[in-house]
Short mmCIF file of all heavy atoms in Angstrom, two decimals:
data_model
loop_
_atom_site.label_atom_id
_atom_site.label_comp_id
_atom_site.label_asym_id
_atom_site.label_seq_id
_atom_site.Cartn_x
_atom_site.Cartn_y
_atom_site.Cartn_z
N ALA A 189 29.58 -39.08 -49.80
CA ALA A 189 28.84 -40.26 -49.44
C ALA A 189 29.77 -41.15 -48.51
O ALA A 189 30.98 -41.16 -48.75
CB ALA A 189 28.46 -41.00 -50.69
N GLU A 190 29.06 -41.73 -47.62
CA GLU A 190 29.82 -42.52 -46.63
C GLU A 190 30.09 -43.98 -46.96
O GLU A 190 30.97 -44.66 -46.41
CB GLU A 190 29.10 -42.45 -45.29
CG GLU A 190 29.14 -41.13 -44.64
CD GLU A 190 28.54 -41.04 -43.29
OE1 GLU A 190 28.44 -42.14 -42.63
OE2 GLU A 190 28.04 -39.94 -42.85
N ASN A 191 29.27 -44.55 -47.92
CA ASN A 191 29.48 -45.92 -48.18
C ASN A 191 28.92 -46.20 -49.69
O ASN A 191 28.47 -45.33 -50.31
CB ASN A 191 28.61 -46.79 -47.20
CG ASN A 191 27.14 -46.35 -47.15
OD1 ASN A 191 26.52 -46.17 -48.17
ND2 ASN A 191 26.66 -46.14 -45.88
N GLU A 192 29.21 -47.44 -50.07
CA GLU A 192 28.88 -47.89 -51.42
C GLU A 192 27.42 -47.61 -51.82
O GLU A 192 27.10 -47.07 -52.85
CB GLU A 192 29.27 -49.32 -51.63
CG GLU A 192 28.91 -49.84 -53.09
CD GLU A 192 29.33 -51.26 -53.19
OE1 GLU A 192 30.06 -51.81 -52.42
OE2 GLU A 192 28.83 -51.83 -54.20
N PRO A 193 26.45 -48.08 -50.97
CA PRO A 193 25.05 -47.86 -51.34
C PRO A 193 24.72 -46.34 -51.51
O PRO A 193 23.93 -46.00 -52.38
CB PRO A 193 24.28 -48.38 -50.15
CG PRO A 193 25.15 -49.38 -49.58
CD PRO A 193 26.54 -48.87 -49.76
N ASP A 194 25.37 -45.46 -50.69
CA ASP A 194 25.06 -44.02 -50.87
C ASP A 194 25.62 -43.50 -52.17
O ASP A 194 25.02 -42.68 -52.87
CB ASP A 194 25.68 -43.24 -49.77
CG ASP A 194 24.93 -43.48 -48.41
OD1 ASP A 194 23.80 -44.06 -48.46
OD2 ASP A 194 25.52 -43.05 -47.33
N VAL A 195 26.88 -44.05 -52.61
CA VAL A 195 27.43 -43.54 -53.89
C VAL A 195 26.55 -44.06 -55.06
O VAL A 195 26.24 -43.27 -56.01
CB VAL A 195 28.89 -44.11 -54.01
CG1 VAL A 195 29.39 -43.79 -55.35
CG2 VAL A 195 29.77 -43.50 -53.00
N LEU A 196 26.12 -45.29 -55.00
CA LEU A 196 25.29 -45.86 -56.07
C LEU A 196 23.94 -45.10 -56.17
O LEU A 196 23.49 -44.80 -57.30
CB LEU A 196 25.03 -47.31 -55.84
CG LEU A 196 26.32 -48.23 -55.85
CD1 LEU A 196 25.91 -49.67 -55.65
CD2 LEU A 196 27.13 -48.05 -57.03
N ALA A 197 23.39 -44.83 -55.00
CA ALA A 197 22.14 -43.91 -55.02
C ALA A 197 22.39 -42.59 -55.61
O ALA A 197 21.57 -42.03 -56.42
CB ALA A 197 21.59 -43.83 -53.59
N ALA A 198 23.54 -41.93 -55.34
CA ALA A 198 23.90 -40.64 -55.88
C ALA A 198 24.02 -40.79 -57.41
O ALA A 198 23.58 -39.88 -58.11
CB ALA A 198 25.17 -40.17 -55.26
N TRP A 199 24.67 -41.83 -57.89
CA TRP A 199 24.72 -42.04 -59.32
C TRP A 199 23.28 -42.18 -59.94
O TRP A 199 23.09 -41.63 -61.03
CB TRP A 199 25.56 -43.22 -59.65
CG TRP A 199 27.00 -43.13 -59.39
CD1 TRP A 199 27.69 -42.01 -58.93
CD2 TRP A 199 28.02 -44.16 -59.43
NE1 TRP A 199 29.03 -42.33 -58.75
CE2 TRP A 199 29.20 -43.63 -59.06
CE3 TRP A 199 27.94 -45.55 -59.81
CZ2 TRP A 199 30.41 -44.37 -58.99
CZ3 TRP A 199 29.08 -46.27 -59.84
CH2 TRP A 199 30.27 -45.73 -59.44
N GLY A 200 22.47 -42.89 -59.31
CA GLY A 200 21.05 -43.04 -59.81
C GLY A 200 20.40 -41.71 -59.84
O GLY A 200 19.72 -41.39 -60.92
N ARG A 201 20.56 -40.88 -58.94
CA ARG A 201 19.97 -39.49 -58.94
C ARG A 201 20.56 -38.69 -60.15
O ARG A 201 19.96 -38.01 -60.86
CB ARG A 201 20.21 -38.73 -57.66
CG ARG A 201 19.28 -39.23 -56.50
CD ARG A 201 19.41 -38.31 -55.30
NE ARG A 201 20.84 -38.12 -54.81
CZ ARG A 201 21.43 -38.85 -53.94
NH1 ARG A 201 20.78 -39.97 -53.47
NH2 ARG A 201 22.59 -38.58 -53.55
N ALA A 202 21.94 -38.80 -60.30
CA ALA A 202 22.63 -38.05 -61.24
C ALA A 202 22.19 -38.38 -62.69
O ALA A 202 21.83 -37.46 -63.49
CB ALA A 202 24.07 -38.27 -61.13
N VAL A 203 22.13 -39.68 -63.07
CA VAL A 203 21.69 -40.07 -64.30
C VAL A 203 20.24 -39.89 -64.59
O VAL A 203 19.82 -39.55 -65.75
CB VAL A 203 22.14 -41.54 -64.69
CG1 VAL A 203 23.60 -41.66 -64.66
CG2 VAL A 203 21.45 -42.55 -63.76
N THR A 204 19.36 -39.88 -63.55
CA THR A 204 17.95 -39.61 -63.76
C THR A 204 17.82 -38.11 -63.98
O THR A 204 17.16 -37.73 -64.95
CB THR A 204 17.19 -40.03 -62.44
OG1 THR A 204 17.27 -41.46 -62.25
CG2 THR A 204 15.74 -39.62 -62.58
N ASN A 205 18.50 -37.25 -63.21
CA ASN A 205 18.36 -35.83 -63.40
C ASN A 205 19.01 -35.35 -64.78
O ASN A 205 18.55 -34.40 -65.35
CB ASN A 205 19.03 -35.08 -62.31
CG ASN A 205 18.33 -35.27 -60.94
OD1 ASN A 205 17.14 -35.53 -60.97
ND2 ASN A 205 19.00 -34.94 -59.86
N ALA A 206 19.96 -36.09 -65.23
CA ALA A 206 20.66 -35.77 -66.51
C ALA A 206 19.78 -36.33 -67.67
O ALA A 206 20.15 -36.06 -68.86
CB ALA A 206 22.03 -36.39 -66.58
N GLN A 207 18.73 -37.00 -67.41
CA GLN A 207 17.82 -37.67 -68.39
C GLN A 207 18.48 -38.59 -69.29
O GLN A 207 18.30 -38.61 -70.56
CB GLN A 207 17.10 -36.50 -69.18
CG GLN A 207 16.23 -35.66 -68.23
CD GLN A 207 15.47 -34.62 -68.92
OE1 GLN A 207 15.73 -34.21 -70.11
NE2 GLN A 207 14.41 -34.07 -68.28
N VAL A 208 19.42 -39.44 -68.75
CA VAL A 208 20.05 -40.50 -69.52
C VAL A 208 18.99 -41.48 -69.82
O VAL A 208 18.06 -41.78 -69.03
CB VAL A 208 21.14 -41.14 -68.67
CG1 VAL A 208 21.69 -42.38 -69.24
CG2 VAL A 208 22.30 -40.10 -68.49
N SER A 209 19.08 -41.99 -71.01
CA SER A 209 18.00 -43.00 -71.43
C SER A 209 18.34 -44.46 -71.08
O SER A 209 17.47 -45.28 -70.93
CB SER A 209 17.84 -43.00 -73.02
OG SER A 209 17.34 -41.65 -73.32
N ARG A 210 19.63 -44.74 -71.04
CA ARG A 210 20.05 -46.18 -70.75
C ARG A 210 21.13 -46.26 -69.74
O ARG A 210 22.11 -45.49 -69.90
CB ARG A 210 20.50 -46.77 -72.13
CG ARG A 210 21.02 -48.21 -72.07
CD ARG A 210 21.37 -48.72 -73.41
NE ARG A 210 20.12 -48.83 -74.27
CZ ARG A 210 20.09 -49.06 -75.51
NH1 ARG A 210 21.23 -49.24 -76.17
NH2 ARG A 210 18.96 -49.20 -76.16
N VAL A 211 21.00 -47.09 -68.81
CA VAL A 211 21.97 -47.26 -67.69
C VAL A 211 22.48 -48.70 -67.78
O VAL A 211 21.65 -49.66 -67.78
CB VAL A 211 21.52 -46.89 -66.33
CG1 VAL A 211 22.49 -47.29 -65.27
CG2 VAL A 211 21.22 -45.40 -66.29
N ILE A 212 23.79 -48.91 -67.76
CA ILE A 212 24.35 -50.24 -67.72
C ILE A 212 25.24 -50.25 -66.41
O ILE A 212 26.28 -49.59 -66.40
CB ILE A 212 25.24 -50.54 -68.94
CG1 ILE A 212 24.36 -50.47 -70.24
CG2 ILE A 212 25.85 -51.96 -68.85
CD1 ILE A 212 25.19 -50.41 -71.55
N TRP A 213 24.81 -51.02 -65.46
CA TRP A 213 25.55 -51.15 -64.24
C TRP A 213 26.58 -52.27 -64.46
O TRP A 213 26.21 -53.37 -64.90
CB TRP A 213 24.66 -51.57 -63.06
CG TRP A 213 23.68 -50.58 -62.66
CD1 TRP A 213 22.34 -50.41 -63.08
CD2 TRP A 213 23.84 -49.59 -61.64
NE1 TRP A 213 21.75 -49.40 -62.42
CE2 TRP A 213 22.61 -48.89 -61.52
CE3 TRP A 213 24.97 -49.18 -60.92
CZ2 TRP A 213 22.52 -47.77 -60.61
CZ3 TRP A 213 24.81 -48.11 -60.05
CH2 TRP A 213 23.60 -47.41 -59.92
N VAL A 214 27.80 -51.98 -64.04
CA VAL A 214 28.84 -53.03 -63.95
C VAL A 214 28.95 -53.31 -62.47
O VAL A 214 29.57 -52.56 -61.69
CB VAL A 214 30.15 -52.55 -64.61
CG1 VAL A 214 31.23 -53.71 -64.40
CG2 VAL A 214 29.99 -52.26 -66.06
N TYR A 215 28.19 -54.34 -62.04
CA TYR A 215 27.99 -54.53 -60.63
C TYR A 215 27.72 -55.99 -60.31
O TYR A 215 27.04 -56.67 -61.05
CB TYR A 215 26.81 -53.65 -60.19
CG TYR A 215 26.53 -53.55 -58.69
CD1 TYR A 215 27.50 -53.31 -57.82
CD2 TYR A 215 25.28 -53.63 -58.24
CE1 TYR A 215 27.32 -53.26 -56.45
CE2 TYR A 215 24.96 -53.53 -56.88
CZ TYR A 215 26.00 -53.32 -55.98
OH TYR A 215 25.80 -53.18 -54.67
N ASP A 216 28.14 -56.44 -59.18
CA ASP A 216 27.97 -57.82 -58.75
C ASP A 216 26.80 -58.01 -57.81
O ASP A 216 26.68 -59.06 -57.13
CB ASP A 216 29.23 -58.41 -58.22
CG ASP A 216 29.82 -57.52 -57.07
OD1 ASP A 216 29.26 -56.60 -56.69
OD2 ASP A 216 30.94 -57.92 -56.63
N GLY A 217 25.97 -56.99 -57.66
CA GLY A 217 24.83 -57.05 -56.69
C GLY A 217 23.60 -56.58 -57.43
O GLY A 217 23.53 -56.45 -58.66
N VAL A 218 22.63 -56.20 -56.58
CA VAL A 218 21.42 -55.62 -57.15
C VAL A 218 21.53 -54.10 -56.99
O VAL A 218 21.56 -53.53 -55.90
CB VAL A 218 20.17 -56.13 -56.36
CG1 VAL A 218 18.89 -55.50 -56.85
CG2 VAL A 218 20.07 -57.66 -56.41
N PRO A 219 21.57 -53.41 -58.25
CA PRO A 219 21.71 -52.04 -58.11
C PRO A 219 20.40 -51.31 -57.60
O PRO A 219 19.37 -51.91 -57.64
CB PRO A 219 22.04 -51.62 -59.62
CG PRO A 219 21.41 -52.65 -60.33
CD PRO A 219 21.47 -53.90 -59.52
N PRO A 220 20.56 -50.03 -57.18
CA PRO A 220 19.35 -49.40 -56.71
C PRO A 220 18.36 -49.10 -57.86
O PRO A 220 18.85 -49.03 -59.05
CB PRO A 220 19.95 -48.04 -56.21
CG PRO A 220 21.22 -47.88 -56.79
CD PRO A 220 21.74 -49.21 -57.04
N SER A 221 17.18 -49.05 -57.55
CA SER A 221 16.15 -48.76 -58.56
C SER A 221 16.30 -47.33 -58.96
O SER A 221 16.44 -46.50 -58.20
CB SER A 221 14.79 -49.04 -58.00
OG SER A 221 13.72 -48.78 -58.95
N ILE A 222 16.25 -47.11 -60.31
CA ILE A 222 16.36 -45.71 -60.82
C ILE A 222 15.26 -45.50 -61.91
O ILE A 222 14.80 -46.49 -62.50
CB ILE A 222 17.78 -45.42 -61.37
CG1 ILE A 222 18.19 -46.49 -62.45
CG2 ILE A 222 18.78 -45.43 -60.29
CD1 ILE A 222 19.56 -46.15 -63.08
N ASP A 223 14.93 -44.30 -62.12
CA ASP A 223 13.88 -43.98 -63.02
C ASP A 223 14.44 -43.53 -64.43
O ASP A 223 14.52 -42.35 -64.72
CB ASP A 223 13.06 -42.79 -62.50
CG ASP A 223 11.83 -42.49 -63.24
OD1 ASP A 223 11.37 -43.38 -64.01
OD2 ASP A 223 11.28 -41.39 -63.13
N VAL A 224 14.91 -44.49 -65.12
CA VAL A 224 15.39 -44.30 -66.54
C VAL A 224 14.71 -45.38 -67.41
O VAL A 224 14.29 -46.46 -66.93
CB VAL A 224 16.94 -44.39 -66.64
CG1 VAL A 224 17.66 -43.27 -65.86
CG2 VAL A 224 17.46 -45.73 -66.31
N PRO A 225 14.57 -45.13 -68.69
CA PRO A 225 13.81 -45.98 -69.61
C PRO A 225 14.38 -47.42 -69.65
O PRO A 225 13.63 -48.48 -69.68
CB PRO A 225 13.76 -45.38 -70.92
CG PRO A 225 13.88 -43.91 -70.58
CD PRO A 225 14.82 -43.84 -69.37
N GLU A 226 15.71 -47.58 -69.72
CA GLU A 226 16.35 -48.85 -69.94
C GLU A 226 17.48 -49.08 -68.84
O GLU A 226 18.32 -48.20 -68.81
CB GLU A 226 16.85 -48.98 -71.39
CG GLU A 226 15.78 -48.87 -72.43
CD GLU A 226 16.40 -49.02 -73.83
OE1 GLU A 226 17.53 -48.58 -74.00
OE2 GLU A 226 15.69 -49.54 -74.68
N VAL A 227 17.48 -50.20 -68.29
CA VAL A 227 18.56 -50.58 -67.34
C VAL A 227 18.96 -51.98 -67.52
O VAL A 227 18.15 -52.88 -67.71
CB VAL A 227 18.03 -50.40 -65.89
CG1 VAL A 227 19.07 -50.75 -64.86
CG2 VAL A 227 17.52 -48.96 -65.67
N ALA A 228 20.27 -52.23 -67.47
CA ALA A 228 20.84 -53.55 -67.57
C ALA A 228 22.02 -53.63 -66.62
O ALA A 228 22.58 -52.59 -66.13
CB ALA A 228 21.31 -53.85 -68.91
N THR A 229 22.29 -54.89 -66.17
CA THR A 229 23.46 -55.13 -65.30
C THR A 229 24.38 -56.16 -65.94
O THR A 229 23.96 -57.17 -66.43
CB THR A 229 23.03 -55.60 -63.92
OG1 THR A 229 22.06 -54.69 -63.38
CG2 THR A 229 24.14 -55.81 -62.99
N VAL A 230 25.67 -55.88 -65.83
CA VAL A 230 26.72 -56.77 -66.35
C VAL A 230 27.60 -57.06 -65.10
O VAL A 230 28.05 -56.15 -64.43
CB VAL A 230 27.53 -56.22 -67.50
CG1 VAL A 230 28.72 -57.14 -67.84
CG2 VAL A 230 26.62 -55.89 -68.68
N SER A 231 27.92 -58.37 -64.86
CA SER A 231 28.82 -58.74 -63.75
C SER A 231 30.22 -58.38 -64.02
O SER A 231 30.71 -58.68 -65.14
CB SER A 231 28.65 -60.22 -63.47
OG SER A 231 29.66 -60.56 -62.53
N PRO A 232 30.92 -57.73 -63.09
CA PRO A 232 32.37 -57.48 -63.28
C PRO A 232 33.14 -58.71 -63.38
O PRO A 232 34.30 -58.67 -63.86
CB PRO A 232 32.72 -56.58 -62.07
CG PRO A 232 31.67 -56.88 -61.11
CD PRO A 232 30.51 -57.23 -61.82
#
């Protein structure tokens, strides 16, 4: 991946495909939308 948004999008695909139920982003921005049942964000 060439940049941060591309890496974050790749992680979103990865956890969606792995069928993870809960994602907790440690992030200071708005993370990409992903298709998992539960999502939360904690500021670093």
Side-chain angles (χ1 to χ4, degrees):
E190 293 186 21
N191 55 47
E192 178 181 344
D194 290 346
V195 175
L196 299 182
W199 292 354
R201 287 189 303 274
V203 296
T204 298
N205 291 341
Q207 299 182 343
V208 169
S209 296
R210 179 176 292 170
V211 170
I212 304 167
W213 292 94
V214 177
Y215 190 44
D216 52 4
V218 177
S221 178
I222 56 176
D223 188 22
V224 298
E226 299 179 327
V227 179
T229 303
V230 175
S231 171

